[in-house]
Amino acid sequence: MTYRATTDDFQFLFDHIIGYDDIAATELFAEAPGDMATAVLTEAGKMCEDKLAPSHRDGDLTPAVLENGVVRTSPGFADAYAAIAEGGWVGMAADPEYGGMGLPLTLQTAVNDMMSAANLSLQLCPLMTQGQIEALEHHASDELKALYLPKLISGEWAGTMNLTEAQAGSDVGALTSKAVDNGDGTYAVSGQKIFISWGDNDITENVCHLVLARLPDGAAGTKGISLFLVPKFIPDADGNPGEKNDLRVVSLEHKMGLHGSPTAVMSFEGAKGWMIGEPHKGMAAMFTMMNNARLGVGVQGLGAGEGAYQKALAYAQERKQGRTPLGENGTGMIIDFADVRRMLTQMRCELFAARAMALSLSKAIDMATATGDESWKARAALLTPIVKAYGTETGILASHLGVQVHGGMGFIEETGAAQYCRDVRVTAIYEGTNGIQAMDLVGRKMMDGGEAAFRLLDEIEAQAEGARAQFPNMSEAVWSAAEDLRESVEWMVEQGDMQDRFAGAVPFLMGFARVLGAHMHLKAAIAEGGKGARTELARFHINRLLPEHVAQFAQARAGAAGLYALSPEDLAS
């Protein structure tokens, strides 16, 4: 299968769904008008098709390996990564002062989406670097910025994020890694970290680790954690990789998927590091990178889903299986069967909705950065857990349906359909499981009493009201679903016991996404004028998928008592 970049979809979304012109109208992004955005999408699309996609399968068939302490990456990855770095795609949203393009995050999100569809294992490398760039821009000293940012932005050096330890998974505060002041502005960092994506490689000159560790006087829990930049090679006086630091890759994980992405167990053995931000404020600095990564991982999910969709669509158009119901009016291939059409159409609908949400979040971040407006900051905060969770669940669903469209051949590794399932599955787990995202949505993101959610719902209902004359049935369905969501938000903010919120957090988030997706599809139908493929996709989404919100919100408001009615012994009996 040949991957086709979805540049037309992005152009439609920019022009008609998210309003890219609002971003370009700000002073900060005035030099990134719509025609430039189109040119960027076109060039990135070509790069993904020509350079990244050809090595996608190689990453699965010939995984990264650890040889004599050195990670060897999959065939073709070095050349593909060079195309990413040389094209400036790593630092496209980074500060121009240090060599970045200074483009909107919205454009970077679109490019990351296409790279994820073309080669998810490889795209994870620049994604981690992009998160580190943002963390350093916000929290590092001027000296560290001047030394590290140009190399990271150019792609010559890569960045990683080191949070997790064997005894401290989602409970980051339980970490035991320590840092001791060397008395010269550096720290000796010691400890072992697990699940470190792209913990080492042979395609960049240096690997720069952001490591969470505790100073001797650090308090217990997350409040006593500091953040350190620990390079694989300590830069010399000229800023080039010099002496090898006291860190090593212990092993690479044998994983379900993402075989081309080396996931390392890292050991820091008194390694020299530099503090980022203030002592004991490491989590705040790291969250800058984590929030960036949550958007990026949501986009990874839908990007992988796009790859699975394109593969399934191609197969359905070339696979003949008995007599098809459309006879002479059909293609004669399995795409003529109603159930195959159902699966393909759902994949297309879900991917459009997830992509629209990811770009809406990116726009909110760009507008908050450009204007400082608190309402944009609140919108970004609200959408972050939804985009991460729904984007990754969409990728998992699309890859699952992709295997089903292939039938028995989908279960045969030779076709490559199963790779998407295996690769994308972890996206619902890393950078905060989707359950954690949902709890964040009903917890921290509802600390405003639901105000940010209500503002978004007002926009959804206003659009639905305005479209009643053109689309009476779809508009009524969207308006009614938005009211159901409003009632569920009200229920959530009324619950004093957080366990009652958490018990229904996941169905609440997915129901929220259903309503948001319907809103995006209705907007697309309006923009198209009511006739065309996007209008039919909107009808499918609103008539067939949106009704799921009723059951989702019923679960969301069920409370926690029923979950604890069965004891562990009951569950085991």
Side-chain angles (χ1 to χ4, degrees), residues 54-77:
S55 58
H56 161 75
R57 196 76 179 111
D58 291 329
D60 192 54
L61 298 176
T62 310
V65 295
L66 180 64
E67 293 180 350
N68 300 319
V70 178
V71 171
R72 304 298 182 191
T73 52
S74 301
F77 274 38

Side-chain angles (χ1 to χ4, degrees), residues 564-573:
Y564 294 97
L566 290 171
S567 67
E569 291 75 20
D570 292 331
L571 291 171
S573 65

Side-chain angles (χ1 to χ4, degrees), residues 395-468:
I396 291 168
L397 174 63
S399 64
H400 161 76
L401 291 175
V403 169
Q404 195 69 17
V405 169
H406 280 77
M409 292 306 297
F411 199 68
I412 304 301
E413 286 289 355
E414 183 180 334
T415 65
Q419 180 184 343
Y420 291 102
C421 279
R422 293 184 285 100
D423 284 355
V424 77
R425 185 60 185 85
V426 72
T427 62
I429 298 170
Y430 61 22
E431 302 311 330
T433 67
N434 287 355
I436 288 175
Q437 303 304 316
M439 289 189 287
D440 178 49
L441 177 62
V442 301
R444 289 189 187 93
K445 304 307 163 58
M446 295 294 168
M447 294 295 286
D448 63 352
E451 182 180 341
F454 293 141
R455 280 200 300 269
L456 180 54
L457 285 168
D458 289 343
E459 294 175 21
I460 294 172
E461 291 181 357
Q463 177 187 270
E465 287 286 1
R468 282 188 186 276

Side-chain angles (χ1 to χ4, degrees), residues 181 225 242 385 491:
D181 192 342
I225 295 174
W491 186 90

